[in-house]
Amino acid sequence: MRKNKSEVWTNLYIWSVLCALAGIFVCFAILFLFSVLLYNTTDVIKSFTVFSAISLSAGSFSGGYFCGLFRRKNGLYEGFFCGFIIYIFLLTAGCIFFHTFGNLMSIRKFLICIISSSAGGVIGVNHKRPKFIKS
């Protein structure tokens, strides 16, 4: 008789936090690559806003994608939740390091996080399941 073992990806909150951390890691990795690219090619800081938005979008998308890929249900909702966790992390980091709570850029970051991670969650649910995961 098989016992019902609780897997990591069966709990929405734990898995969403783990996927959000993976998304934040991807965001920082892409932001680092863009920083190196800008440092070596140009001195114009105006284009850094575009690159930071692209890295935030890619990180949020990957977090939502991982959440949808492994959970296999409610991709839009779980992607939204994962994007909200990423946004809360960014807002908290901004409050701690820069002593600012929110502004117009904060609303833009919120929309980027939510839309990108929701899209990633939907695509992750509809993507083929990895073979190493037992059904």
Side-chain angles (χ1 to χ4, degrees):
M1 199 175 212
R2 183 176 178 191
K3 294 181 181 180
N4 290 334
K5 292 175 77 176
S6 177
E7 300 289 339
V8 173
W9 54 80
T10 58
N11 189 345
L12 170 65
Y13 302 112
I14 294 173
W15 188 247
S16 294
V17 169
L18 290 175
C19 289
L21 289 175
I24 290 168
F25 176 75
V26 169
C27 179
F28 283 144
I30 293 173
L31 194 61
F32 177 74
L33 292 175
F34 283 151
S35 299
V36 170
L37 177 75
L38 282 175
Y39 179 75
N40 289 330
T41 58
T42 184
D43 291 333
V44 179
I45 300 297
K46 292 180 182 178
S47 60
F48 190 73
T49 306
V50 175
F51 287 130
S52 65
I54 290 171
S55 67
L56 180 61
S57 177
S60 297
F61 181 85
S62 64
Y65 178 78
F66 291 142
C67 196
L69 183 68
F70 290 106
R71 293 269 303 160
R72 304 300 294 173
K73 59 182 177 181
N74 300 330
L76 187 66
Y77 167 70
E78 293 177 6
F80 180 88
F81 188 66
C82 186
F84 185 72
I85 292 171
I86 292 172
Y87 174 72
I88 292 297
F89 175 80
L90 291 175
L91 189 66
T92 306
C95 288
I96 291 171
F97 294 117
F98 301 116
H99 305 294
T100 60
F101 182 69
N103 53 14
L104 183 62
M105 290 298 289
S106 179
I107 296 170
R108 192 178 301 160
K109 287 177 192 175
F110 178 72
L111 291 175
I112 288 172
C113 285
I114 295 300
I115 292 170
S116 298
S117 62
S118 296
V122 169
I123 292 173
V125 166
N126 294 322
H127 195 263
K128 189 176 179 181
R129 190 176 183 119
K131 294 187 184 220
F132 64 88
I133 298 176
K134 297 177 184 175
S135 296

